[in-house]
């Protein structure tokens, strides 16, 4: 096994990368997803402080959900234009940003929005915390799936609400909602809010229209508000189709709040900007008022600029990204099928996250994490962090150049074999 990552640094010329150029206005766009960018000694958390986070500096980081791909050039150019102005003063979101968001959601997800239904936030997790505080009270019950994105439960617990978990079933190696259990818990626990992850993280499941309707109708029946976290909604693999929950029935606009951002889609999490879509005027006023009370809405200039540029100029980049992610997923699936046939996994329908079962090793969750770190020398996300239903699983981020992904797969195999 290779102990050092220094051998992985190389240039485009050396890797025989095909560079595709696309004319957009006066700018050309480079669709290269094979360049390995040295991210050590940057501010990014993925590649830095690994000793502190994992107890070893030798691990290959394939954990937190940001991509090891360069940002689209138009985004970098637009940010450079801001810097070229030489004054970074106060800013407010321009109408052009609202128009870009409205057009993107209409064209991509058939969601009809107006400017007066859009609020801005530093991120999806701060949005969840904001909504919990604005629309629920201490000790109220809030329901989530299990397993699911870790900050859901963290925000519930830190804000002194009761976390009610509905365990996801597994059928044909895909997650499935247990509607019978959900209805029972909605009634018995007097749930006030349901936080949905669509597409599902960590399993990559893209919920079907019927599943979404069944869940939303149950919430409507028991007068439960819903948050639909749709931050991965643009990262979907054919033939699967993403559906934004609020678009399925006009009545859902009364109790569904949608969270979205350009940050996962275009790998710009560091600019700190997301959107809250609230189509019920009463809920909008409540959330907006709470934002004003805590000065939550004064946001990042770079977030405004990067998001607008992403939605107006970077659609073609996204299409090539999805092709690359599809190739990576095929590589992973083939590897597990042939090299690790004893390991079951969920083939994601969306996101760039791969969820696989490590129970064949017969280890505790703590031992499992240590084995990947110290034997395989790879940093993954521990499944149990996503809830009790994630015990014995690990999550792999496969949004990386193929040479890094191949190295990561070798290390995973070593973890199982040694």
């Amino acid at each position: 096994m290779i102990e050092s990552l220094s051998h992985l640094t190389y240039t485009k010329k050396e890797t025989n990368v095909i560079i595709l150029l696309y004319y957009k206005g006066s700018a050309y766009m480079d669709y290269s997803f094979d360049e390995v960018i040295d991210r050590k000694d940057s501010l990014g958390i993925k590649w830095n402080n690994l000793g502190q986070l994992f107890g070893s500096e030798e691990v290959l980081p394939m954990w937190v959900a940001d991509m090891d791909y360069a940002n689209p050039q138009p985004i970098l150019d637009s940010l450079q234009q801001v810097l070229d102005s030489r004054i970074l003063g106060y800013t407010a979101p321009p109408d052009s940003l609202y128009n870009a968001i409205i057009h993107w959601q209409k064209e991509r997800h058939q969601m009809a929005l107006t400017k007066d239904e859009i609020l801005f936030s530093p991120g999806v997790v701060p949005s969840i915390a904001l909504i919990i505080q604005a629309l629920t009270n201490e000790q109220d019950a809030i329901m989530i799936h299990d397993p699911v994105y870790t900050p859901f439960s963290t925000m519930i617990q830190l804000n002194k609400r009761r976390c009610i978990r509905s365990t996801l079933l597994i059928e044909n190696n895909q997650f499935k909602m247990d509607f019978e259990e959900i209805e029972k818990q909605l009634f018995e626990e007097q749930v006030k809010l349901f936080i949905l992850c669509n597409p599902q993280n960590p399993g990559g499941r893209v919920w079907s229209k019927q599943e979404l309707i069944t869940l939303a109708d149950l919430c409507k029946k028991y007068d439960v508000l819903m948050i639909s976290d749709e931050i991965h909604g643009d990262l979907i693999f054919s033939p699967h189709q993403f559906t934004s929950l609020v678009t399925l029935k006009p009545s859902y606009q009364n109790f569904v709040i949608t969270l979205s951002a350009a940050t996962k889609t275009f790998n710009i999490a560091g600019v700190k900007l997301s959107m809250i879509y609230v189509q019920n005027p009463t809920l909008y006023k409540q959330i907006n008022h709470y934002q004003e009370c805590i000065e939550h809405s004064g946001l990042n200039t770079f977030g405004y600029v990067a998001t607008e540029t992403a939605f107006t100029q970077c659609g073609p980049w996204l299409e090539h990204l999805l092709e690359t992610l599809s190739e990576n997923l095929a590589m992973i699936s083939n590897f597990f099928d042939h090299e690790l046939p004893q390991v079951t996994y969920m083939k994601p329908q969306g996101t760039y996250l791969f969820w696989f079962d490590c129970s064949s090793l017969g280890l505790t969750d703590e031992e499992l994490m240590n084995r990947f770190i110290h034997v395989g020398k790879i940093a993954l996300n521990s499944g149990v962090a996503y809830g009790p239903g994630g015990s014995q699983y690990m999550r792999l981020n496969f949004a990386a150049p193929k040479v890094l992904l191949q190295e990561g797969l070798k290390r995973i195999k070593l973890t199982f074999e040694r």
Side-chain angles (χ1 to χ4, degrees):
M1 184 184 67
I2 302 170
E3 299 294 336
S4 170
L5 300 181
S6 61
H7 71 291
L8 295 175
T9 303
Y10 62 101
T11 66
K12 292 181 183 179
K13 183 177 180 180
E14 291 170 335
T15 56
N16 195 28
V17 173
I18 298 176
I19 299 176
L20 301 173
L21 298 178
Y22 176 86
Y23 185 76
K24 182 72 176 179
S26 60
Y28 286 90
M29 199 179 301
D30 177 356
Y31 302 126
S32 171
F33 296 100
D34 283 333
E35 178 189 8
V36 176
I37 299 172
D38 185 358
R39 299 182 66 184
K40 281 190 171 292
D41 300 322
S42 70
L43 292 176
I45 65 170
K46 185 175 183 180
W47 283 79
N48 292 283
N49 300 317
L50 296 174
Q52 180 180 349
L53 292 168
F54 294 98
S56 172
E57 292 289 348
E58 296 181 347
V59 292
L60 177 64
M62 305 192 79
W63 59 295
V64 68
D66 72 12
M67 297 185 274
D68 286 314
Y69 300 133
N71 294 131
Q73 192 60 44
I75 292 177
L76 301 177
D77 291 342
S78 67
L79 295 178
Q80 186 61 54
Q81 289 176 13
V82 175
L83 294 175
D84 289 344
S85 72
R86 299 192 295 159
I87 297 177
L88 299 176
Y90 292 113
T91 54
D95 284 341
S96 56
L97 172 60
Y98 284 101
N99 292 336
I101 293 166
I102 290 167
H103 180 76
W104 183 272
Q105 290 296 330
K106 179 66 175 177
E107 294 299 312
R108 296 274 174 162
H109 306 305
Q110 295 72 57
M111 182 188 293
L113 289 169
T114 65
K115 178 180 177 180
D116 293 335
E117 296 169 337
I118 301 172
L119 295 169
F120 292 103
S121 168
V124 162
V125 176
S127 298
I128 290 172
L130 172 74
I131 294 166
I132 287 173
Q133 294 173 15
L135 302 181
T136 69
N137 298 310
E138 288 190 12
Q139 299 308 311
D140 279 350
I142 299 177
M143 181 179 284
I144 59 176
H145 283 133
D146 177 25
V148 77
Y149 183 47
T150 307
F152 285 13
S153 61
T154 304
M155 291 301 101
I156 293 169
Q157 293 160 0
L158 288 177
N159 285 285
K160 300 180 181 179
R161 274 60 169 176
R162 292 187 293 120
C163 183
I164 310 300
R165 298 177 184 269
S166 174
T167 303
L168 289 168
L169 307 175
I170 298 177
E171 185 177 282
N172 298 322
N173 289 327
Q174 292 290 342
F175 282 135
K176 176 183 177 182
M177 298 190 209
D178 187 344
F179 293 114
E180 183 177 344
E181 181 193 58
I182 289 172
E183 181 166 18
K184 182 174 183 290
Q185 291 178 310
L186 289 177
F187 174 73
E188 292 182 351
E189 300 290 347
Q190 297 184 324
V191 173
K192 301 300 182 184
L193 176 67
F194 192 110
I195 308 177
L196 173 70
C197 196
N198 179 35
Q200 203 272 348
N201 174 5
R205 178 71 205 284
V206 177
W207 302 115
S208 69
K209 290 182 180 180
Q210 188 54 58
E211 286 171 310
L212 293 172
I213 289 171
T214 302
L215 178 63
D217 284 349
L218 284 174
C219 288
K220 182 179 180 181
K221 177 181 177 180
Y222 292 99
D223 196 25
V224 176
L225 297 172
M226 295 188 72
I227 294 174
S228 184
D229 172 5
E230 301 180 359
I231 196 169
H232 287 102
D234 292 311
L235 300 170
I236 308 298
F237 303 120
S238 180
H240 305 287
Q241 294 186 329
F242 168 78
T243 303
S244 181
L245 172 60
V246 78
T247 66
L248 289 169
K249 290 184 181 181
S251 63
Y252 292 170
Q253 296 180 14
N254 294 326
F255 63 94
V256 176
I257 299 162
T258 306
L259 307 183
S260 183
T263 51
K264 294 298 182 191
T265 307
F266 298 99
N267 202 31
I268 52 174
V271 303
K272 306 303 290 183
L273 186 79
S274 74
M275 288 76 71
I276 309 172
Y277 306 139
V278 196
Q279 295 174 283
N280 177 324
T282 301
L283 295 178
Y284 181 97
K285 289 178 182 178
Q286 288 178 267
I287 297 171
N288 189 35
H289 174 70
Y290 205 90
Q291 276 193 316
E292 292 172 349
C293 290
I294 61 175
E295 192 58 38
H296 183 272
S297 55
L299 298 174
N300 190 319
T301 301
F302 297 103
Y304 295 144
V305 173
T307 298
E308 180 178 340
T309 304
F311 286 157
T312 55
Q313 299 184 42
C314 300
W317 182 92
L318 172 58
E319 301 310 315
H320 286 277
L321 169 69
L322 289 171
E323 290 177 8
T324 299
L325 293 177
S326 295
E327 293 169 0
N328 286 1
L329 179 55
M331 178 195 301
I332 297 170
S333 300
N334 182 68
F335 184 91
F336 270 76
D337 289 343
H338 291 89
E339 303 295 331
L340 295 169
Q342 77 277 23
V343 179
T344 59
Y345 61 85
M346 292 186 180
K347 189 172 184 179
Q349 300 168 347
T351 78
Y352 45 78
L353 307 168
F354 189 82
W355 185 246
F356 61 98
D357 184 355
C358 303
S359 58
S360 62
L361 288 172
L363 302 174
T364 67
D365 290 300
E366 183 178 359
E367 290 169 341
L368 189 62
M369 188 69 173
N370 286 332
R371 186 177 179 90
F372 277 95
I373 291 169
H374 298 295
V375 176
K377 298 191 182 301
I378 184 169
L380 305 174
N381 290 101
S382 174
V384 75
Y386 300 86
S391 178
Q392 298 297 300
Y393 282 83
M394 298 296 284
R395 192 191 77 167
L396 165 73
N397 173 354
F398 61 87
K402 288 182 175 57
V403 66
L404 286 180
L405 183 56
Q406 290 166 347
E407 177 66 19
L409 293 174
K410 291 178 184 177
R411 296 181 183 215
I412 289 172
K413 182 179 179 183
L414 181 63
T415 304
F416 279 91
E417 287 185 340
R418 180 170 293 182

